[in-house]
Every structure is written in C-alpha cells, then in structure tokens.
Amino acid sequence: MPFSLRRLLRLLRDIMTLPAADDAAVSEGERRQWEPPFDASRPAPPISYPITDLAALASRSYLSEDSNFHLPFNRASMPLPSPGAPLPPRRRLLVCHDFQGGYREDAAPQGGANPDAYALWHWHLVDVFVYFSHYLVTLPPPCWTNAAHLHGVKVLGTFITEWDKGAEICREMFATQDSAQMYAERLAELAAALGFDGWLINIEVKLDIQFIDNLKEFVNHLTKRMHAAVPGSLVIWYDAITVGGDLDWQDKLNEHNKPFFDLCDGLFVNYTWKEKYPRDSAATAGDRKYDVYMGIDVFGRNTFGGGQWKTNVALDLLKKDDVSTAIFAPGWIYETKQQPDFQSAQNRWWALVEKSWDVLRGYPKRLPFYSDFDQGHGYQVSSEGLQVSGDPWNNISCQSFQPMLKYTGDEVQPPVRTSINFKDEPYSGGNCVTVQGSLRQNAIFSEQLFNGGLSMEDGYVHLFYSVNAEANSDLGLSLDFLSRNKENTSILIAEDIAIFSRKKQHHLYSSYVQSDKVEPHAPDNQNWVIYRATVQSSASYTLIGINIVCTLKTSGKINSEADEDESSEEDANRLWPYHASLGHISIRNMDENTQFPSAESWVTEGKYISWSNNSNTSKLLSLKISWKLNTSHQASFMKYNIYVEKLIGDSNAKVSRSFLGVATVEAFYMSDLQVPDEVTSLKFIIQACGRDGSRQGLEECPKLFLVPVE
C-alpha cells in the first residue's frame, strides 16, 4: 500500500473510533487532562498520562515527585512471578492494545465509575502486552501492568515518531551519538521506575542516511540499558523505517530491517504481509524465528485473512509456519460494538484465538494461589461475603487470576453453562463464577478453571473456597495432578463426598477429600458458605488443573443408593434445575491466614488537606493519605481497601462506614469527600489484603484520624 494511503487510512480509523464529544463515559476534558494548562505538580485525582515532547523526556520531570504529584500512583505494584525470566523458546502471542487513542478509563490509577469500561481478561493466551498510543512516549497505566504481571505477561510502553513533527524529533534525538544514548537512558529509567518491562520502538518517518547510525545506536543502547535495569525486559522494533532511511514497510524480516532486529529483542512486522512472508521471515531470523511477531490488524485493514472474526485465518498460517504473532487493536470488538454485548463478543473472539493458537501458558505456578475471579469492573463490591459498595466501578488493577472458561455461546442452549456473574452479590470483588442450567440426577458436570503447572512439595496444601448454592445444588472442586511417570490422577474435594461418589461419573476421581465448613470472618455473611480442606501432596506430582465440579443433591424419591438403583429410566433421564456459584479459591502451604503487622507498626500521614464549602450543611474534603511500615521491612500486600468512618458526638449513634476504593500503592487520594457538619471526626481505615486472599481485621488496621475545620 502506498505510504500516503496507508497513513491516511490509519488516521481516519483512529478519528472515526474516538467517542463523540458528548459521550457520557469519557468527556473531552477527561480525554486530555494532561494537555495545557495541566500542572502535574498540583494535587488532583491521580491520572496516567504520556510524555508528549522531547524536552519533558530529557528533563526527567515525570520522575520527580516535586513536579509530578501523580508519580507514586503510576508505579506498578505487581512484579512478574519470575522476574528476569526470558520469554519461552516457542511461538508467542503479543497483544498491542491500540484502543481509542489510549488513556481512557484506564488512565485513572484508582479506578473509575464505568462498569462497562474496556478490559482484557484472556491473559492465559498472551505472552507480551504493548500499551500503544500516538503520543511520543506512551507510558502504560499501572492497572495494565498489574493485571498482566499477575498472569505472567510482560508489558511494554511505546516510543513513536510520525509525521513531520516526528521527523523533526528524530533529527534532534539522533543528531549525535551522545543524544541518542541519553534519550535511550531516559526511556530505560522510566520503565524501571514505573515497573514495566520495556519498549516498542516505532520510527514511522523518513530520515536522511546521516542519522541512521545514531538511530541504530539508540536501539542498541536502549536494549542494553533495559536488560541491565530490568532483567528479562524487551525492546521490540516496529517494521517501518528501513536501514536506508526510507519509510517503507517491508511486511517481513529482510535485509532492510534486520540490522535493527539484530540490535534488539524482536521485530513487530507490519500487518499487510502476504502468505509466504512468515516463512521467509523465519528463514531470515534463523534460530531467532520466535522473535519475529507477524502483525495482524483486527480491524482488517489489508491484513492477511481479513482480521475481525477471521483473525484465526492468519493465526492458523502463523502456527503452521511456527512464528510468533502480534495482534493489533483487539479493542475492535468494543469500538465497533460487536453483538450481543462486549462481554459475550470478547469471549467469542478470544475463543477463536484459543482454538487456532492453543493455550500455551497456565497458572498457578506457585503458592499461595488466590482468585476471586474479579475482572476489574462491576456494579457492586463485596469483601468476604459482605457488600461494601453498591456503586458501579472499574479498576483493572483489581483483576484476580482469570479463569480459563470455555466459550459455549455458539451452542444451542447448552444444558449447563459456566459464566462470570456480575448480577448476584459476589463473595469478593465485583463478580463470581456461576454454573446454572439443568442436570440429570446421576450426572456430574465439571469444567476447568485453571490450567496450572505447580510443582508440589512433600507435605500438605490447604484449600479454602466459598459457595453460594441453591438447596438442591452441590458444588465442589477437583485437582488434577501429573506424576513424573506421566500418570494422571484427580482428587475431588466436597463437603458431602458421598453425593458425588454415588454418581455414574465418580470413577473419574482417584480419591476424595472431605471439606469442612469454616466460620466466616464476617458474621453478617448470610449467603456464602466457606469451606476448608487439606490435601496431602507429593514432590513427585505437578498440579496441572483446578476444576469446578457440580452435581445434584439427592431429593424426593431418590434419597439413597438403593433408591437410585430402583429409579425408573424416566426419572434418571429427567433434567433438574441447577444453580450454584463459586466465590473464591485459596490454595496455601499453611493453614493460617497472612500475619499482618499491627496498627502500631504503621505510620500514616495526611497531606494536601483541602476543605471547601459544599452547602449550608456540609463541606468537601480532599487529601492524600499515605502509609508505610515504621520498620526496615517492606510491605508486600496485594492491595489495600480504603474505608472512612464519619464520627459524630453522639456515642449511641450508629457509625457510618463507607468504602472509598482500592489502593495498589501505599497512597490514596480522596477528592471531594462530602462531610456533614455534624461530623466531629473522620477515621480513615487502611485494610491490607494478603496474596492468599486474607484481609486484616478492620479493628487491627492502621488508621488516620482527621478533625474537620470549623
């Protein structure tokens, strides 16, 4: 495709997919908060934003808390499970998000109020995630890094130059070797400080040949600095400018772009390649063929196979040729409002990817392992079985390990369906996993939740899980193990194992472990029943699967094994309604919860305190709350739940406690909290949440007290 037409189509597509100016979800002001007269040093609700010019990049102002109030909130808190580990030596899947120009609802590190905001949750299919926009330096919002890292996915930012302004920037950057190295060092410093894993470099301009050597030095120096600062990091080159300085997309790895490929960790091949190009690229790459990521544009702009609902056509070819892929703009599903709704359409589209590409990754890989299946958005928030907020919300940082549910939407009314449930009150976070439909009395329904690779140790593992089931529905778990001799075994865990062992499919399980009810931490929890089980483990086995297992309790005339034998064929084939939900799973080496530091072990501080009049009966409060341990030990918690209690002079009055949000760093900014005039004191509560899912008791949490101004 000629240069001008290609660029014009890209620009038009970006323009057409931007929300209208009156879009209720994202206003114009919210889209461009960082543009002048934005002052990053002033306290304000935290935002993520790009660096838009060379002067700001060179000055390092983004990394100074004096000039950037938002810096602490933009540091990712979740490390990769195996820091420093290289990508596996196999074909890989890279996702380049390219969603509506970038920095939408995800630009709020503390989350937002749109329960239908864009997100990804099929992380088990992804190896590398690139956060992309058309700004000079695209810094990934920490929510993406936190969610991706949890699932073992590396995250890259984007450095891009394009159009006439981009050419001018390149001439300044690459005027000398020293300047090329300096800007490379600035980018490496940003990635290390903010906790992400490297860069996609996209030079989409024509340059005089005199600048090419310094451009190559920029790529070389950035790659070396990234590897030194963040072991296991990546620098990937985009197929645009050639080594001769021409802006000429090659659509393959060849002599015109290989000099850049040789200096970094991979090539993102432009998405207009032809059928034989992957094979040609693999031959050119030699033993680095997996570092070649053949682009696929999901919008389908002159991409092989057509993208969209035919993205699998390109994936099938790349799988056959055994090279990697870079999927560009999967947000097409959201932006084009694919039917019937985003949740269903996204699951259907990624099911095509999975069917074509296979599942090449899994979790859990280590203990403790915890999931409440939270997708990072919803219409309510629960904690340990109690609703703490009825407000809609979104925060990708709150994603828990995502279950690997199979898409069944194309089936004609499957008898039983497992789904993510946002409607019913969850055990924790914003959703639960629900199985509903119809079962026969002798049937056992099972579906895999997680496909792991956890090497066991001699001893015991302890499982905790929560269930909310209708009277005639029973729910348990099963664990799949693989021995060193490649023999499979499966253990079923349930409260009443006799109900499962009587069923015709009970032979699927090698052994049974009974689970016991646990007294809930929240005594007001009426819906969720918490279970605990202990399973003996052996170092000769690997945990390869965690499954949800469902059956009907015996009822009516079928109430014993004898009755079951005497039941008529008609009764045996009759379908009965089934409905049960799983709220969370926690697998640990220890039977006890995380031991949290006492409240006295923390130092809490309120800064940037600002009061303003709201009405004759209330005021508005804004402040930054921060906390840290008063010892040399670093806190390592999954997140912090933030609450406030508004105390009044009447000691007999019921205390009003409100959930304010979630912090993933040791700071939280509260904006415009309404404080009625009768309130005499505010008590902010910072509740630490352990990586095993346990939460510190609210009475033992660190607190910050504040007295309203007169």
Side-chain angles (χ1 to χ4, degrees), residues 341-385:
D341 56 72
F342 173 57
Q343 187 86 196
S344 301
Q346 172 129 300
N347 288 335
R348 178 189 168 203
W349 188 87
W350 280 98
L352 293 175
V353 175
E354 178 176 334
K355 184 178 180 181
S356 175
W357 200 250
D358 298 332
V359 177
L360 301 179
R361 300 180 53 252
Y363 39 83
K365 297 290 189 185
R366 57 191 42 78
L367 296 180
F369 174 76
Y370 172 83
S371 179
D372 58 19
F373 322 111
D374 196 336
Q375 276 193 3
H377 60 98
Y379 301 89
Q380 56 190 317
V381 178
S382 288
S383 179
E384 296 185 317

Side-chain angles (χ1 to χ4, degrees), residues 11 18 32 107 155 162 232 327 436 538 576 590 596 635 654:
L11 179 62
L18 288 176
R32 305 274 189 248
V155 177
E162 51 189 345
I327 295 179
Q436 59 184 333
S538 167
W576 298 76
M590 298 185 298
F596 295 97
K654 184 178 180 180

